[in-house]
Amino acid sequence: MKFYCFVYVLLLLIVISTRTLSVAPLIHKNVLLIVGLPQHQNGMYGLHQDVHHFNSFDKVRSLPLILSQAGVRTGIIGKKHVGPEAVYPFEFAYTEENNSILQVGRNITRIKHLVREFFLADDTRPFFLYVAFHDPHRCGHTHPEYGSFCEKFGNGEPGMGLIEDWKPVLYSPNDVIVPYFVPDTPAARQDIAAQYTTISRLDQGVGLVLHELQTAGHLNDTLIIYTSDNGIPFPSGRTNFYDPGVAEPLIVASPIDRSQWGHSTSALASTTDILPTVLDWFQIPFPTYYIHKKNDTVHLTGRSLLPLLGSFPEEDRWSIYASHNLHEVTMYYPMRAVRLLQYKLIHNLNYLMPFGIDQDFYVSPTFQDILNRTKSGKETHWYKTLQNYYYRKQWELYDIQKDPTELNNLAYKPEFMGVRKKLAGFLHDWQKATFDPWICAPGGVLENAGAFKEHPACLPLENNLGIEKTEL
């Protein structure tokens, strides 16, 4: 029997099933899903589109490239946001590169028809189809006429167009659940209600796509993966390494053992696990290759999630890692993090700089309300201030079990120095394994050529950040 793979990429408010850690916000996450390497290793340090123009290194071997070379048919519908094309070749492609992102990412009727077109092709090869919904991403920066989340797009009202299969669901701001990291204000409640509407559109869209899968006769031979490309676009969310920014939904449904459907696990998972999961499903080995130096062979740090569908060996998945340098090209704020079941350590490399705010979030009703209340001296009803949101310590250590809101930084408390040192060691080892050019920052400079070619080292800058000469 031939087996197939179906991947949904979307943005959701609720964490489902297995906890995942985004190894970088938004675009980097798209890369992670189909390349399996953190942004500092694959070269796509920030957004791909428009003026940002970041691309993965030419030698990177992405999932569509590996699969196509192994005889698997590949397709993508919706948001792509990765490049260059030679590294990410899809045979069947309807994305923002050749269509309106509103039509291929939010118009669930259009998405349904494209999925049907994919299945109607006279092609008997195994397939990998990547459906990347743009809901419920913000759109107030690019399409304000449709609302802050494009919640009005296609609702049938004058000038909004009509999505035939969508039955809009409206939510009262009074009834929404305001999470701890969002201010409980009328503006924020209305913002959340708008996102709820787009989540319901996405939910209906997933139902349409699953119906097309069933009609094509592949519901019982397809691995279905449902996840997101970043955390919720609210304060402490997307572009942050706090849990609201890195926690996303992850559902993996295998047709082989349905007895595990509906089960959940407390094991930690990362988006770097998606590529090895898909290769494992197709029984395709990860290729041997290098990006820069022949001796620096690329090794995946993610692992297949398929074993979790069986006996749930949770104790074997105790750590995950995160890497971020930029979102928009102006938002340089490099961070690295390691997350265990109990503790999380965040390293803010350029911590004296203010944390950046992206264009979408800046114009959002929620952030504008925080700005206006702060300027006028009114109560923000927020768990932070703009000052401590913008300016952060170099090291942040949190006991996630005792302090899930991540407000009590333990990094500089003497009794937790041992924990910080241990987690910093885990993080350093991961940075070394993934050839992180920022491994010596901010206290030193990485020297790995010339006299240091055989023995790379971190050389101190004597900038009072504590690094000593360290051989890597």
Side-chain angles (χ1 to χ4, degrees), residues 385-402:
T385 66
L386 281 178
Q387 185 70 13
N388 62 31
Y389 188 75
Y390 290 147
Y391 294 98
R392 308 174 183 191
K393 297 292 186 181
Q394 181 182 356
W395 296 95
E396 297 180 74
L397 174 66
Y398 299 105
D399 186 331
I400 301 300
Q401 294 179 1
K402 295 180 180 179

Side-chain angles (χ1 to χ4, degrees), residues 63-102:
L63 189 54
L65 183 62
I66 296 171
L67 293 178
S68 63
Q69 292 175 346
V72 177
R73 184 182 178 218
T74 61
I76 181 172
I77 299 169
K79 186 172 71 172
K80 186 179 181 184
H81 282 196
V82 294
E85 174 66 24
V87 173
Y88 301 98
F90 286 91
E91 296 177 51
F92 181 95
Y94 288 83
T95 71
E96 74 280 357
E97 295 179 352
N98 54 20
N99 282 267
S100 162
I101 189 59
L102 293 176

Side-chain angles (χ1 to χ4, degrees), residues 40-41 295-299 430-438:
H40 64 252
Q41 187 175 14
N295 293 332
D296 293 344
T297 303
V298 172
H299 296 286
W430 177 75
Q431 289 182 267
K432 183 177 179 180
T434 55
F435 308 108
D436 188 354
W438 282 262

Side-chain angles (χ1 to χ4, degrees), residues 5 9 21 54 64 70 91 110 139 145 151 240 283 326 341 353 358-359 390 402-403 428-429 441 444:
C5 187
V9 184
L21 182 69
F54 288 101
E91 296 177 51
R110 173 68 170 150
C139 74
E145 67 274 20
E151 69 276 7
N240 284 272
Q283 297 185 342
L326 302 105
L341 287 172
M353 296 173 60
D358 64 274
Q359 294 172 314
Y390 290 147
K402 295 180 180 179
D403 177 29
H428 182 272
D429 290 344

Side-chain angles (χ1 to χ4, degrees), residues 307-325:
L308 288 178
L309 306 184
S311 58
F312 293 79
E314 298 178 5
E315 70 284 353
D316 194 36
R317 306 184 75 95
W318 56 270
S319 66
I320 40 180
Y321 299 86
S323 172
H324 171 79
N325 283 340

Side-chain angles (χ1 to χ4, degrees), residues 214-253:
Q214 183 177 28
T215 301
H218 290 304
L219 192 61
N220 295 321
D221 57 15
T222 300
L223 177 73
I224 300 174
I225 302 174
Y226 175 103
T227 190
S228 169
D229 67 346
N230 56 258
I232 182 173
F234 280 89
S236 295
R238 185 185 70 172
T239 74
N240 284 272
F241 277 171
Y242 303 121
D243 268 11
V246 298
E248 289 118 13
L250 175 60
I251 299 175
V252 182

Side-chain angles (χ1 to χ4, degrees), residues 17-166:
S17 197
T18 301
R19 289 173 289 176
T20 59
L21 182 69
S22 167
V23 187
L26 195 60
I27 184 60
H28 313 134
K29 185 71 174 295
N30 292 354
V31 173
L32 284 171
L33 285 165
I34 51 179
V35 80
L37 308 177
Q39 54 86 26
H40 64 252
Q41 187 175 14
N42 74 61
M44 197 167 192
Y45 305 130
L47 292 169
H48 170 65
Q49 71 274 20
D50 300 327
V51 299
H52 317 293
H53 200 57
F54 288 101
N55 287 277
S56 292
F57 296 123
D58 292 341
K59 291 185 179 180
V60 166
R61 306 291 295 277
S62 73
L63 189 54
L65 183 62
I66 296 171
L67 293 178
S68 63
Q69 292 175 346
V72 177
R73 184 182 178 218
T74 61
I76 181 172
I77 299 169
K79 186 172 71 172
K80 186 179 181 184
H81 282 196
V82 294
E85 174 66 24
V87 173
Y88 301 98
F90 286 91
E91 296 177 51
F92 181 95
Y94 288 83
T95 71
E96 74 280 357
E97 295 179 352
N98 54 20
N99 282 267
S100 162
I101 189 59
L102 293 176
Q103 295 300 327
V104 296
R106 298 185 192 265
N107 185 339
I108 59 176
T109 298
R110 173 68 170 150
I111 293 170
K112 176 190 74 173
H113 288 151
L114 289 172
V115 171
R116 183 179 300 171
E117 181 181 339
F118 180 83
F119 287 130
L120 286 176
D122 184 16
D123 197 320
T124 60
R125 290 176 296 167
F127 69 79
F128 170 81
L129 181 58
Y130 181 92
V131 180
F133 292 87
H134 210 229
D135 280 332
H137 195 286
R138 288 191 179 276
C139 74
H141 167 61
T142 55
H143 298 92
E145 67 274 20
Y146 295 123
S148 58
F149 281 94
C150 275
E151 69 276 7
K152 300 175 184 178
F153 173 68
N155 67 4
E157 296 179 358
M160 296 296 104
L162 177 66
I163 300 174
E164 295 177 3
D165 290 289
W166 182 35

Side-chain angles (χ1 to χ4, degrees), residues 223-454:
L223 177 73
I224 300 174
I225 302 174
Y226 175 103
T227 190
S228 169
D229 67 346
N230 56 258
I232 182 173
F234 280 89
S236 295
R238 185 185 70 172
T239 74
N240 284 272
F241 277 171
Y242 303 121
D243 268 11
V246 298
E248 289 118 13
L250 175 60
I251 299 175
V252 182
S254 169
I256 295 178
D257 186 3
R258 296 196 176 198
S259 66
Q260 299 299 330
W261 284 19
H263 287 206
S264 62
T265 170
S266 61
L268 296 174
S270 165
T271 356
T272 55
D273 297 330
I274 300 298
L275 182 142
T277 300
V278 174
L279 293 184
D280 187 15
W281 177 254
F282 285 119
Q283 297 185 342
I284 296 172
F286 183 68
T288 299
Y289 76 98
Y290 68 93
I291 297 176
H292 300 297
K293 300 178 181 179
K294 289 185 177 180
N295 293 332
D296 293 344
T297 303
V298 172
H299 296 286
L300 296 176
T301 55
R303 293 181 294 167
S304 173
L305 297 170
L306 296 186
L308 288 178
L309 306 184
S311 58
F312 293 79
E314 298 178 5
E315 70 284 353
D316 194 36
R317 306 184 75 95
W318 56 270
S319 66
I320 40 180
Y321 299 86
S323 172
H324 171 79
N325 283 340
L326 302 105
H327 179 62
E328 294 164 2
V329 70
T330 57
M331 294 173 60
Y332 183 65
Y333 198 85
M335 302 178 288
R336 303 293 183 265
V338 55
R339 171 74 145 81
L340 311 184
L341 287 172
Q342 181 173 359
Y343 293 105
K344 177 197 292 180
L345 181 68
I346 302 173
H347 190 193
N348 300 308
L349 276 63
N350 283 28
Y351 65 99
L352 293 177
M353 296 173 60
F355 186 81
I357 304 297
D358 64 274
Q359 294 172 314
D360 270 345
F361 181 50
Y362 184 84
V363 299
S364 71
T366 298
F367 191 69
Q368 284 298 305
D369 191 47
I370 292 175
L371 286 176
N372 292 334
R373 287 172 178 269
T374 300
K375 286 189 294 184
S376 64
K378 293 181 180 179
E379 173 62 50
T380 63
H381 302 286
W382 190 31
Y383 79 139
K384 292 187 176 182
T385 66
L386 281 178
Q387 185 70 13
N388 62 31
Y389 188 75
Y390 290 147
Y391 294 98
R392 308 174 183 191
K393 297 292 186 181
Q394 181 182 356
W395 296 95
E396 297 180 74
L397 174 66
Y398 299 105
D399 186 331
I400 301 300
Q401 294 179 1
K402 295 180 180 179
D403 177 29
T405 60
E406 298 169 276
L407 287 176
N408 184 19
N409 185 7
L410 307 173
Y412 299 93
K413 296 187 176 182
E415 62 269 34
F416 287 95
M417 285 300 175
V419 176
R420 171 177 147 180
K421 182 177 180 181
K422 181 179 180 181
L423 268 64
F426 292 155
L427 190 56
H428 182 272
D429 290 344
W430 177 75
Q431 289 182 267
K432 183 177 179 180
T434 55
F435 308 108
D436 188 354
W438 282 262
I439 192 171
C440 303
V445 171
L446 172 63
E447 292 290 352
N448 58 1
F452 296 91
K453 181 178 180 180
E454 300 300 324

